[in-house]
Each structure stands twice: as structure tokens, then as C-alpha cells.
């Protein structure tokens, strides 16, 4: 399954295809500057790579998971370990960035079945 770059509300078909990879949740990479995301890869890094190819800047991309059954964002990913951006954990530490990731994810994925 291809990784989808989602720039507006995901379609039901895109959601099905992204969920086909892992079943219960979708690994996503969110570009907080462009307010888009890529989802559906085996790894957050796969999604990040698609956004980079699409013109995103690495420092703007943050990894998370979307769990559609409970409509929840989880903020943990290896791509979030960035000592140069004061994020030394897999979990997004900056509350502002965390909020941006959640808002963008909900705008693009929430409620799509």
C-alpha cells in the first residue's frame, strides 16, 4: 500500500488503505508548517520520507499515531528524538508542537470511517 499525503480531509478509501498496513492504528508524520500529514507506512520514517520528497522541511515534521477506533493521537515516534530541537525523547515534549500535531491530525483524519 502506498503512503498517502493528506492535504485535506482523508477519504474513507484513504483511511482503509492506511489502516491496511497495521490494522488498528496508522503511523503518521505531520508537517506542522504546511499543515499536512503522511500516513500509512510501516515506520514513521517512511511517512517522513514522503513528506520530504513532497517539499517539507525535516524540522517541521513530527511523528505520531492515529487510533481511529478511539479517535486518539499518540505522540511517540523515533523521528521525534531531536536533541538539536530540544526534544530528547520519542514523545513530543513541546506542548505547542504537540497541540499543532493534534489539531492538524484531527482536522485531516477525525471522523473518517
Amino acid at each position: 500500500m502506498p503512503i498517502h499525503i493528506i492535504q485535506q480531509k482523508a477519504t474513507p478509501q484513504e483511511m482503509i488503505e492506511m489502516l491496511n498496513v497495521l490494522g488498528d492504528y496508522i503511523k503518521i508524520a505531520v508537517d506542522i508548517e504546511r499543515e499536512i500529514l503522511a500516513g500509512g507506512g510501516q515506520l514513521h520514517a517512511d511517512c517522513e520520507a514522503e513528506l520530504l520528497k513532497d517539499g517539507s522541511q525535516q524540522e517541521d515534521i513530527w511523528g505520531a499515531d492515529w487510533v481511529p477506533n478511539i479517535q486518539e493521537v499518540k505522540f511517540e515516534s523515533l523521528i521525534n528524538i531531536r536533541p538539536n530541537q530540544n526534544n530528547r525523547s520519542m514523545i513530543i515534549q513541546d506542548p505547542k508542537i504537540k497541540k499543532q500535531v493534534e489539531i492538524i491530525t484531527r482536522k485531516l483524519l477525525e471522523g473518517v470511517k
Side-chain angles (χ1 to χ4, degrees):
M1 284 289 137
I3 293 170
H4 290 284
I5 294 179
I6 308 294
Q7 299 178 351
Q8 55 192 357
K9 188 67 115 176
T11 66
Q13 185 61 37
E14 288 170 329
M15 188 64 70
I16 289 166
E17 290 173 5
M18 291 187 290
L19 278 167
N20 277 342
V21 178
L22 299 170
D24 294 340
Y25 69 99
I26 301 166
K27 289 191 184 259
I28 59 173
V30 179
D31 181 329
I32 60 172
E33 184 64 31
R34 295 174 64 203
E35 297 187 7
I36 64 173
L37 64 81
Q42 287 281 341
L43 304 170
H44 293 104
D46 297 334
C47 299
E48 177 185 45
E50 289 302 312
L51 286 175
L52 290 169
K53 282 195 276 187
D54 192 59
S56 293
Q57 300 299 309
Q58 199 278 326
E59 62 270 10
D60 298 327
I61 302 171
W62 295 88
D65 295 325
W66 175 247
V67 187
N69 288 344
I70 57 174
Q71 301 286 287
E72 186 175 310
V73 181
K74 301 194 181 230
F75 302 95
E76 190 169 348
S77 168
L78 283 172
I79 69 169
N80 295 336
I81 300 173
R82 301 179 190 189
N84 61 333
Q85 287 182 266
N86 295 318
N87 206 88
R88 290 174 162 58
S89 167
M90 288 179 28
I91 297 170
I92 300 171
Q93 300 294 297
D94 184 323
K96 182 181 173 206
I97 292 171
K98 202 174 195 179
K99 186 69 175 166
Q100 287 177 285
V101 168
E102 181 165 15
I103 288 169
I104 295 163
T105 301
R106 288 191 180 283
K107 179 177 122 185
L108 298 174
L109 301 180
E110 189 171 55
V112 181
K113 304 211 185 279

